[in-house]
Each structure stands twice: as C-alpha cells, then as structure tokens.
Amino acid sequence: RFSLLLLNLEEYYFEQHTANHIINKGCRDERKFRGSLKICSKSIIFEPDDNNQPIIKIPLRDCISIKAPEDHEANNPFTRDTSGGISVVCNQVFLIKERNIIAPYKTVRGKSEHLFHLDVAGKLGDVVQTLHQLYRASCLDKMGDQAAMITAILQSRLARTSFDKNRFQSISETLHMECKAEMVTPLVTNPGHVCVTDANLYFQPLNGYPKPVVQITLQNVRRIYKRRHGLMPLGLEVFCTENDLCSDIYLKFYNYQDRDELYYLIATYIENHITEHTAESYMLQWQRGHISNYQYLLHLNNLADRSCNDLSQYPVFPWIIADYSSAVLDLTKPETFRDLSKPIGALNKERLDRLLKRYQEMPEPKFMYGSHYSSPGYVLFYLVRVAPEYMLCLQNGKFDHADRMFNSLAETWKNCLDGATDFKELIPEFYENDSSFLVNSLKLDLGKRQGGKMVEDVELPPWASGPDDFLQKSQEALESQYVSEHLHEWIDIIFGYKQKGGEAVAAHNVFHPLTYEGGVDLNSILDPNEKVALLTQILEFGQTPKQLFTTPHPRRIIPKLKSLSRASSHSVSIAESPVSPNEESFEDLTEESITLAWNNIAKLKLDEQYKIHKEAVTGIAVTSNGSSVFTTSQDSTLKMFSKESKTIQRSVSFSSMALSSCLILPGDTTVISSSWDNHIYFYSVAFGRQQDTLMGHDDAVSKICWRDGRLYSASWDSTVKVWHCAPGETLSNKKHQFELLAELEHDVSVNTMDLNAANTLLASGTKEGTMSVWDVATATLLHQVPCHSGTVFDAAFSPDSRHLLSTGEDCCFKVIDVQTGMLISSVSTDEPQRCLKWDGNIILSGSQSGDLLVWDLLLGKVTERIKAHTGAVVSMWMSEQCSSVITGGEDRQLIFWKLQY
C-alpha cells in the first residue's frame, strides 16, 4: 500500500524498520499494530500490516518531540536494549488509505503521542539521530535552507554506500562506470547508485524500494535521450521499445558529466542497432506516409524532452475534434475540426481580443496567456480516475473540487474555448487504446457536483457509443485527411518556428517567459530560497517543449485517391475505385513498371564490362534506341561505343583537358560535352566532327543538363548559366546561336546540379557543401541550405519534386524538403557515395570503393551491396524504365547492368 506518492513533492524516502506502533501506552485501551516504520526526509510514515488500518503520516515540522523514552535509563544495562522504543509527540497526523480505500487524507489535529518499538533495538540510536537531523532541517524557516540541509544528508548517505556488485547478472561482467543518480517517476525521484557494465545498466535504490535493483540489458535498448530535468541538463531516458510512450528507466544525475558519460557508454554500445534519432529522420517517414500522425507526434514529443515520467513536461497532443454535440461525427466536414493553425487561446476571437488588450498594456516581459497548455495539474485533471494517488500527492492529499473535475468532454472543450484562464491541449491517452481514464472503475469518491450529482465516468459526446468507441473515433480523426493536411501548422506552434520571437507574437502564441527553455538560468541564481521558489513555480506552471524547428514545417504528402485506395488497409472496393482496372492508361503501366524495377533494384546483374578509356569515366549518355553509348573521361576524350558490335566507333579529343560530363540532344544527332578547359563542345554524330564551342565560363565546367531547348551549365567559376541554343545547320557550317538567359551566382565553385521533372526548379551543389534550390522561370534563389561539410558530389530531385537528395564528401546523404527548404533527413554512409539515382525512397549509389549500394532511405540503411568497380564509381546512367544501368569508374571501366527478376 505504501508508495513514494505518499511523500511530499521533492521528498526522499531513506530507510525502513520493522516495528510495532503502540497507541495509548499504559492505558486500558492500549493498542498495538505491527508494520513498517519508514524514515523520510520530511515525515515519518508507518504502514501497518493490517490493510484495514490507515497508514499514518507524521510531518516532521509538526513534531513537538522525538526521543527514545528510556533515555534517562540509558546507563542501566538491564533496560538499555530491551525497549527499542521511539516516542513521537506531534500536533497533527494524516491518516491515509483507511480500509485500503484511496481517498483524500484524513487530518487529525491536536496533540498526540505515538510510540514505535523497533524489532532490531540496536538500531534505535541511529534512527533517533537521523530523525533529529531531519527534524532540524524541517524547522528551518527558508525552503532553500531546508533543501540544502536535506541534500547534504542524502549525499553523505550515498557517499557511505556503493553499488552491491553481488547484484550483477554474471560474474564475468566488466564494470565500466558507477555513479550516484536518482530514478525519476511521475512526481517522485528515488536516489541510489547507477552502474554500467559491458552487458547491463543497473540502478540500486538507496532504500531498496520498489525492488533491490532495476536491471536493463543493453542489448535490448532501442532509444536513448538526454533530458532536461527541473530545467537542468541532467536527465537520461532509456527505451527498450521503438514506439512506446513510456520508457524503461529515467535517471537524473547530480552533474552533467556523469550523465554525458553514461549516455556515451550506452550510445556507443547500441550504435550497431541505432543511435539517437533526429526530428529530420522521422519527418521524411511521416511525409511519405510510413508513420502515422500519432507516431510522428509521439516522436516529436520525445525529441522535445517530453516524457511520461515528468508531469511538468508530459507529451502534448492537440485537440482535434471541435464537435461534441452531433449524433454522428462527420470527418469529411472541415468544421468538425479545430483550427490547427492557432493555439487554443486564439480560437475564440472575443477572448483573444480581451487578452491582447491586456497584453498591450502589460509592462515587459509581456505574455498573452497566464497559464500554459500543459502542466502537471492538467495532466492529472485528465487522468485522475486512473491515477488518483498522483492527484492526492500533487494537491496535498485532496482531490479537486467536484465541479472543476474532468466531468464531460463537451464541457471541457467549451471551457478551453471560453474560459478566462483555460488554454490546455490534450494528452496522448486520447489517441490510444486504453479508455480506463474515462471510467471511474476504481469507484473513487470524487465528490458531489452543484446539482447533487456524483462525479462518475466522463460524459461522452452523442457520437460516441462508449469510451472505446470515443477513442476509436478520436484516432480516426487524428489520422484523417483534414488533419494530415494541417498538422504541420500545429507543429509550427508547439515545436516549431512560431514558438518564440516575432512569429510567436504574430501567431498569438506568447506564454510566460519562465515556461520557455532558457527562460531562466538556475545556475545564475545564488539565493537558494529564490531558486527553490522559482523551480517550484516552473514545475507547477508547465513548460514549453524544446524548439525543434526554426523554419516552417513541411506539409504531409497526401497521396492521390487511387494510390491511397490501393495502399490503404481500409481499401475502397474495386467498384468504388475511381479508375477501373481495364481503363488503366499507358502512364499508369509505365509507373507500375518503374515501381516494380525500383522494388527489385537489388537484383541488378553485371551484363558486360569494357575498359575503353585511359582515365576515370566521367559522363555517360545513351541514344534513344540504346544502340550507342557516349562516354567522356578525364583522359580528355569523348568516345562512341556500339552496344551491338561491342566496339569503339568514334574517339574525339577537343583539348588536352579532362571532360566532365556529356549528353545527347533529342534526335540523337548532337552530343554535348563539358570540359575542364572552361568550354562546352558540340559534336555532330552524323558528320563526325566538332560543330561548335561555347566559351561560357571562367573555370572548369563541372556538369551540363539539357531541357526544352535550353542548356544548363555548372562551373567552378561559382555560376550556373542558362543558355538558349538555336540549332546550327551543319551543311552550311552555320553555327549554333547561344543566348545567355540567366546566370545563377554562387559564393564558391559549383560541382553538380539537377533539374526537376517539370523543369521548374534547379538544384545546385557546391564545393563547400551548400545546396541551393532555384526557380528556373525567374532565376531566383528559393533556398540555400548548408548540407555537407566538403564537396557535394551528386544531387537529384525525387520524381514528385517534393524532396532533394544530395551526397557529399562528408559520408552523408541529406534530404531537403523542396517546399520549405528544411533539411529533413540525414543518413550516414561509411564512405563517400560519389553518384546516385533514386525514386524518392530507394537509392542506388556508386561508392568511393567501387561497389554499388542499394539504400532504404526511410530506414537509413544499406539493403544490398553489389560488387562493381575496383575504383570509385563516378558516373551513372539509368534508362527511363529504370531497368538498365551503366556505370563508369575511376578504374576506367564501363559496366552494363541489367535487372533480372
């Protein structure tokens, strides 16, 4: 029956002793109860073995005297060790869980004496001495002084003990680290010793409660997060599951060095499975529909320091539904939903106008809302029916007033819209499968409302047939199309760029300065009393999540109905499907064959290979019928290779400098090559001669592209130039006419570029690792993102133009969301990947060592490694159907690949 929730907030439980509790000693109605005496930092608690008897809690500050009654006979050898008694005289006691019922504590005021007889009388002196010490601490006037004295007592106890190595799972375990820490659970921290070995993480509570040792096998660890606890960077939370809300252990350390060392030890151990995820790694999965809205919000909460073990930083979820009166919930109507682009406080215009008026008249620091959207009180407001002891702990042994309880959803929503000080959001439990928090199954007496009605189960809206149905419909609402289209707006407010600064003011999203991370530096506050008061205020008031994004959050990609009906588990029947099977267009079949090819890309088989150059093969272009392959090389030659006769049919050199890339113009009559000699060469296939030279740059030309009669050239002279080319006539020796349409300026050399499928966007990658996205029509820069440390080797838009993938010298793939310019994914590669092709999820890359690698971007790992070249793969061509591939390497080899499935 005892739990740490019977302690006050910020109180520690030190030790326990088996004892008898004697009431009215020496009187006719003397009574004796057997049980356990618990010594805590601010109280004495006695838990009787008989469950019908109440637990007795005596606050130390209410004690008049604590002594061993036979003190005056202490020198008498016959009585000294026989009694083992401690007399406690006090002004008030609390009676808890009488008849084992969870209810508000009973307060018994008036002077009373309690006698405790310890089974082990020899411990009497130590126990009394400890109680005297703690009593002195509780009598200090100032909270800061009390806290300092209790901390000193705790630290000396921790220093006198150490981790019991007999608790190791195996005698062969090697100890890596041992330190002092506290295990954190909601409202409670429990001090003890932490130990990490080569196989396990252990925590041994000082008081042996709730069990002598907590053990976690490192092999089972899946995620690990550094946490801010009580505004200090001292927390560490360990998860052995991938998607669960609750962790396996949350530890708080006494200094950040211990925390960081332990983090490093565990992170190093689990690096083989996974390391700490970033918001970006989840964003791409969410955007592409691989994880649900619910899972994404859970991950964001986790990354923003929200934890189920810390009620002042409990995970925040949005109110989604705004209709609590209809008989049927219609998820196709926008008015069914709350406006996700506004914080709760801004949903009601009249209330907002009043708050803004007050805000404008307020001296600095200004804030719009006097209370927060997430705080311990709000979390327990929702959970009181399943966590009554937490509520009693938070509110000094009382429940809230019956009319202020979580009585009805409609009422709570109305209050969040109209209440002068109510701006709370929801908690994850509203979108999970356990509806017990809506039902008073513990039969708690939560009081009587004004109309005389008892507080029982939560009143549900008419559209819900019961608690489970309510949760089911809430989940459907959270995953609905409307929410998928607008959830990014809510993320901007809670975790994103509208959380702080001018954007927060514009979005009417300004809370008290103390609620923000970094709003106060506790280390700079020297007065311990001020520090304790401030900390208490912040923890009770609620905290704003850590800011995860400083630019607008990308939208979710909503699939077209057709593909949705195929992918969705609640599939639309064929009859309802907008496209009947026999009407599928040629494009759909092409799309399907491309999808099939990418799904089988790991089955690429080496078809033929040839060594036709004297240096690295830098560019590959193929005629439309596939019969001829043109290649450029650092040996300065352009070669034409016949696939049928397997022979070189042309070999041309334009200058003594290396060629960097090549392409074939539509019609297969002209090949264009770019060179390190700053020029671009036009070669006529039909007439077998150089037809034109474009002297367009002041340094090497690194890459060229051709689209719709326009030539795009990237150069180390820090520009990308766009040319209009009017075709020349070879017979009359009339040259091409070149007109410079645009010049895209960069700060440093441009190494690569790509155009999206619609030719509306151009991406460029520089030698310093920056990726830029340009609007082709207006030649304006849309985004400039510092992606890589070192040269960008290759970059490509996804087929739907939503994402841009780049690979660099720093052994990383990076993905940019094209709409917002946000870096949304980063995947480490063991070695640089020099060139790539991708379909938006699967990547085929050519590596520095010469292998071809197939990657699942969403999982961030290699799914297949294909032996290819003996030097770096520097160029790659892929057919439109994605079924054949040609690669060129530093080993001078040209390799032809075929898909076989």
Side-chain angles (χ1 to χ4, degrees):
R1 290 192 301 158
F2 170 77
S3 95
L4 296 177
L5 293 166
L6 301 183
L7 278 57
N8 294 359
L9 293 175
E10 307 286 314
E11 183 176 8
Y12 297 111
Y13 162 37
F14 285 140
E15 60 192 60
Q16 68 162 350
H17 303 276
T18 317
N20 286 314
H21 178 208
I22 301 166
I23 302 175
N24 303 328
K25 182 172 170 59
C27 303
R28 280 171 57 190
D29 56 351
E30 176 177 322
R31 294 163 74 203
K32 190 178 194 177
F33 299 105
R34 185 140 187 76
S36 160
L37 180 69
K38 299 176 194 297
I39 312 299
C40 306
S41 58
K42 296 179 182 178
S43 57
I44 301 167
I45 294 177
F46 181 77
E47 178 189 20
D49 293 347
D50 179 352
N51 279 352
N52 285 315
Q53 293 301 319
I55 293 171
I56 291 168
K57 176 175 173 177
I58 306 171
L60 287 168
R61 64 163 191 274
D62 291 325
C63 291
I64 298 165
S65 71
I66 301 172
K67 58 184 181 180
E70 283 83 10
D71 276 357
H72 59 282
E73 296 174 22
N75 298 327
N76 180 334
F78 299 103
T79 61
R80 191 168 66 204
D81 283 334
T82 53
S83 71
I86 300 173
S87 154
V88 178
V89 180
C90 59
N91 286 323
Q92 70 170 350
V93 294
F94 295 107
L95 305 182
I96 304 170
K97 284 194 186 174
E98 199 166 357
R99 298 195 307 286
N100 211 18
I101 293 168
I102 299 169
Y105 304 169
K106 271 190 190 157
T107 310
V108 180
R109 293 192 175 82
K111 190 172 173 183
S112 59
E113 181 180 11
H114 299 264
L115 201 59
F116 301 101
H117 266 241
L118 304 189
D119 280 16
V120 182
K123 293 198 173 161
L124 183 68
D126 288 346
V127 173
V128 172
Q129 192 183 350
T130 301
L131 286 172
H132 281 163
Q133 246 186 334
L134 293 168
Y135 171 67
R136 279 200 300 280
S138 71
C139 291
L140 294 170
D141 287 344
K142 293 183 171 169
M143 294 300 286
D145 298 340
Q146 280 186 32
M149 187 166 170
I150 289 168
T151 302
I153 294 168
L154 169 64
Q155 289 302 330
S156 94
R157 282 179 163 249
L158 284 168
R160 289 199 305 271
T161 54
S162 65
F163 187 88
D164 175 6
K165 309 292 186 295
N166 295 325
R167 294 282 177 188
F168 282 178
Q169 291 284 300
S170 139
I171 49 168
S172 60
E173 279 183 68
T174 313
L175 174 69
H176 284 323
M177 176 190 179
E178 182 181 346
C179 67
K180 301 177 286 192
E182 295 176 11
M183 185 165 130
V184 178
T185 50
L187 301 181
V188 172
T189 63
N190 201 11
H193 297 274
V194 168
C195 214
V196 187
T197 68
D198 52 353
N200 294 291
L201 165 68
Y202 297 98
F203 176 74
Q204 186 172 27
L206 191 59
N207 50 32
Y209 178 88
K211 53 184 181 180
V213 75
V214 177
Q215 175 246 333
I216 285 173
T217 308
L218 293 181
Q219 225 170 343
N220 296 340
V221 175
R222 287 288 162 273
R223 293 177 291 144
I224 170 170
Y225 298 97
K226 289 180 181 178
R227 292 280 185 238
R228 183 173 51 129
H229 187 272
L231 299 195
M232 303 292 274
L234 299 173
L236 188 73
E237 194 162 21
V238 179
F239 290 77
C240 292
T241 55
E242 205 44 76
N243 285 319
D244 279 14
L245 187 58
C246 295
S247 63
D248 291 76
I249 192 167
Y250 185 144
L251 296 168
K252 173 199 165 191
F253 296 81
Y254 295 114
N255 61 63
Y256 68 87
Q257 292 91 341
D258 283 348
R259 192 274 304 265
D260 290 352
E261 187 181 342
L262 189 78
Y263 175 85
Y264 173 76
L265 283 170
I266 299 179
T268 310
Y269 183 91
I270 65 172
E271 217 157 39
N272 308 328
H273 332 289
I274 45 115
T275 42
E276 190 173 21
H277 285 284
T278 57
E280 288 80 25
S281 63
Y282 292 119
M283 189 193 295
L284 186 67
Q285 293 187 41
W286 172 72
Q287 260 199 303
R288 293 250 172 228
H290 285 245
I291 57 175
S292 65
N293 291 337
Y294 167 80
Q295 286 170 312
Y296 186 46
L297 289 176
L298 210 54
H299 290 310
L300 292 185
N301 271 289
N302 237 325
L303 291 163
D305 274 345
R306 311 305 282 190
S307 161
C308 289
N309 283 312
D310 184 351
L311 295 187
S312 68
Q313 299 190 85
Y314 203 77
V316 193
F317 268 63
W319 281 96
I320 293 290
I321 299 167
D323 174 0
Y324 294 94
S325 55
S326 302
V328 176
L329 187 66
D330 185 349
L331 296 180
T332 60
K333 289 192 336 205
E335 50 273 27
T336 299
F337 300 94
R338 162 257 179 111
D339 181 347
L340 286 162
S341 67
K342 295 175 179 170
I344 291 289
L347 292 175
N348 175 341
K349 187 164 180 337
E350 281 177 34
R351 176 176 67 175
L352 180 64
D353 290 343
R354 289 197 301 273
L355 291 166
L356 288 177
K357 188 168 182 292
R358 192 191 68 174
Y359 172 74
Q360 270 129 27
E361 293 163 358
M362 195 182 278
E364 291 292 343
K366 295 169 176 282
F367 52 90
M368 291 175 192
Y369 309 113
S371 67
H372 205 256
Y373 49 76
S374 171
S375 71
Y378 290 160
V379 174
L380 296 176
F381 166 85
Y382 292 126
L383 297 180
V384 64
R385 288 167 179 80
V386 285
E389 292 182 78
Y390 291 88
M391 175 74 97
L392 293 171
C393 175
L394 187 71
Q395 308 218 69
N396 301 322
K398 300 182 188 72
F399 287 133
D400 208 347
H401 188 281
D403 285 301
R404 285 199 298 270
M405 283 279 184
F406 179 31
N407 290 307
S408 125
L409 270 143
E411 216 173 89
T412 303
W413 171 243
K414 186 178 183 310
N415 210 40
C416 288
L417 285 182
D418 305 340
T421 58
D422 195 347
F423 313 108
K424 59 178 167 284
E425 290 281 8
L426 294 181
I427 54 175
E429 281 78 357
F430 280 83
Y431 302 102
E432 286 170 2
N433 299 320
D434 181 358
S435 62
S436 55
F437 75 101
L438 299 167
V439 184
N440 186 11
S441 51
L442 295 173
K443 298 284 175 271
L444 301 167
D445 180 355
L446 296 171
K448 204 177 264 187
R449 304 192 60 183
Q450 273 181 341
K453 198 174 164 198
M454 296 300 290
V455 174
E456 284 298 337
D457 299 348
V458 177
E459 204 178 296
L460 301 171
W463 47 257
S465 61
D468 291 342
D469 184 52
F470 170 76
L471 291 191
Q472 174 68 38
K473 291 198 166 94
S474 298
Q475 287 170 21
E476 286 166 16
L478 179 61
E479 303 304 333
S480 67
Q481 178 149 350
Y482 177 89
V483 174
S484 290
E485 285 169 1
H486 295 279
L487 190 58
H488 64 282
E489 299 173 327
W490 186 81
I491 293 170
D492 284 336
I493 289 168
I494 305 294
F495 302 106
Y497 81 112
K498 292 183 178 178
Q499 192 199 80
K500 293 179 183 170
E503 293 286 356
V505 176
H508 305 128
N509 193 34
V510 183
F511 294 86
H512 195 285
L514 285 181
T515 64
Y516 295 94
E517 182 177 25
V520 60
D521 176 11
L522 280 184
N523 292 323
S524 68
I525 298 170
L526 300 176
D527 180 348
N529 304 305
E530 193 185 331
K531 191 180 275 191
V532 167
L534 199 62
L535 197 54
T536 309
Q537 185 184 350
I538 289 164
L539 299 185
E540 286 179 10
F541 194 85
Q543 288 171 268
T544 301
K546 185 167 152 183
Q547 190 173 22
L548 299 178
F549 310 106
T550 51
T551 55
H553 189 287
R555 308 167 70 100
R556 195 169 197 189
I557 297 169
I558 310 296
K560 299 188 289 288
L561 181 61
K562 194 182 93 187
S563 55
L564 192 70
S565 70
R566 282 192 198 143
S568 163
S569 49
H570 320 287
S571 186
V572 185
S573 74
I574 290 295
E576 294 169 29
S577 177
V579 178
S580 64
N582 55 1
E583 275 178 23
E584 283 209 295
S585 66
F586 176 68
E587 278 93 9
D588 288 330
L589 292 170
T590 308
E591 202 177 308
E592 277 182 19
S593 68
I594 289 173
T595 305
L596 188 65
W598 273 105
N599 288 341
N600 289 281
I601 205 81
K603 295 177 184 159
L604 273 180
K605 294 284 179 285
L606 194 149
D607 187 22
E608 298 164 347
Q609 69 185 79
Y610 306 96
K611 193 176 273 191
I612 60 172
H613 282 283
K614 295 190 176 73
E615 294 280 347
V617 180
T618 56
I620 304 167
V622 181
T623 53
S624 51
N625 62 4
S627 62
S628 298
V629 178
F630 290 87
T631 55
T632 50
S633 164
Q634 284 184 10
D635 66 9
S636 82
T637 62
L638 165 71
K639 293 191 191 280
M640 174 179 170
F641 180 83
S642 163
K643 190 103 196 305
E644 283 139 29
S645 64
K646 303 183 180 15
T647 55
I648 297 170
Q649 296 188 323
R650 306 272 172 85
S651 182
V652 197
S653 199
F654 303 112
S655 78
S656 59
M657 299 282 274
L659 296 177
S660 56
S661 71
C662 63
L663 56 86
I664 298 182
L665 293 192
D668 294 342
T669 58
T670 306
V671 178
I672 312 180
S673 309
S674 55
S675 169
W676 284 10
D677 69 1
N678 315 356
H679 298 354
I680 296 165
Y681 296 99
F682 287 69
Y683 173 80
S684 164
V685 180
F687 291 86
R689 66 169 185 233
Q690 179 182 333
Q691 192 184 342
D692 255 321
T693 305
L694 169 57
M695 293 180 262
H697 288 279
D698 302 324
D699 203 338
V701 183
S702 50
K703 182 140 184 207
I704 49 173
C705 296
W706 178 276
R707 296 284 179 84
D708 294 345
R710 289 183 178 187
L711 176 69
Y712 300 82
S713 57
S715 164
W716 295 356
D717 68 5
S718 311
T719 65
V720 170
K721 291 184 178 177
V722 186
W723 310 88
H724 180 259
C725 300
E729 291 164 22
T730 316
L731 286 174
S732 63
N733 270 340
K734 198 171 158 212
K735 300 282 192 188
H736 278 76
Q737 299 295 310
F738 301 112
E739 182 194 349
L740 180 63
L741 298 178
E743 190 169 327
L744 312 180
E745 296 272 359
H746 297 69
D747 298 332
V748 290
S749 301
V750 183
N751 202 54
T752 187
M753 67 170 160
D754 187 47
L755 281 140
N756 70 340
N759 303 334
T760 53
L761 299 170
L762 180 142
S764 53
T766 69
K767 287 211 169 167
E768 286 187 359
T770 303
M771 286 300 304
S772 303
V773 179
W774 304 81
D775 180 324
V776 171
T778 59
T780 51
L781 179 66
L782 300 176
H783 306 295
Q784 195 169 31
V785 187
C787 276
H788 299 274
S789 50
T791 302
V792 180
F793 286 135
D794 201 1
F797 285 98
S798 59
D800 62 5
S801 300
R802 291 295 190 112
H803 295 132
L804 173 62
L805 173 70
S806 58
T807 175
E809 198 179 352
D810 57 357
C811 304
C812 271
F813 284 129
K814 303 277 182 167
V815 181
I816 293 168
D817 178 81
V818 174
Q819 178 213 350
T820 59
M822 188 186 279
L823 191 61
I824 61 166
S825 185
S826 180
V827 174
S828 294
T829 61
D830 290 338
E831 54 173 338
Q833 303 300 305
R834 297 290 298 271
C835 53
L836 60 86
K837 299 285 177 194
W838 76 313
D839 73 338
N841 175 25
I842 302 164
I843 305 170
L844 176 67
S845 67
S847 71
Q848 183 73 33
S849 62
D851 292 346
L852 291 185
L853 271 53
V854 179
W855 301 76
D856 183 320
L857 181 63
L858 297 175
L859 297 176
K861 65 180 189 190
V862 177
T863 55
E864 191 68 44
R865 184 180 276 272
I866 304 165
K867 284 266 161 256
H869 296 264
T870 53
V873 188
V874 286
S875 52
M876 187 186 293
W877 172 89
M878 184 181 256
S879 65
E880 255 180 68
Q881 295 289 307
C882 310
S883 55
S884 62
V885 170
I886 306 173
T887 55
E890 279 184 353
D891 60 358
R892 317 196 287 281
Q893 294 275 2
L894 190 66
I895 304 184
F896 291 78
W897 304 85
K898 265 215 175 87
L899 256 193
Q900 294 181 344
Y901 56 89

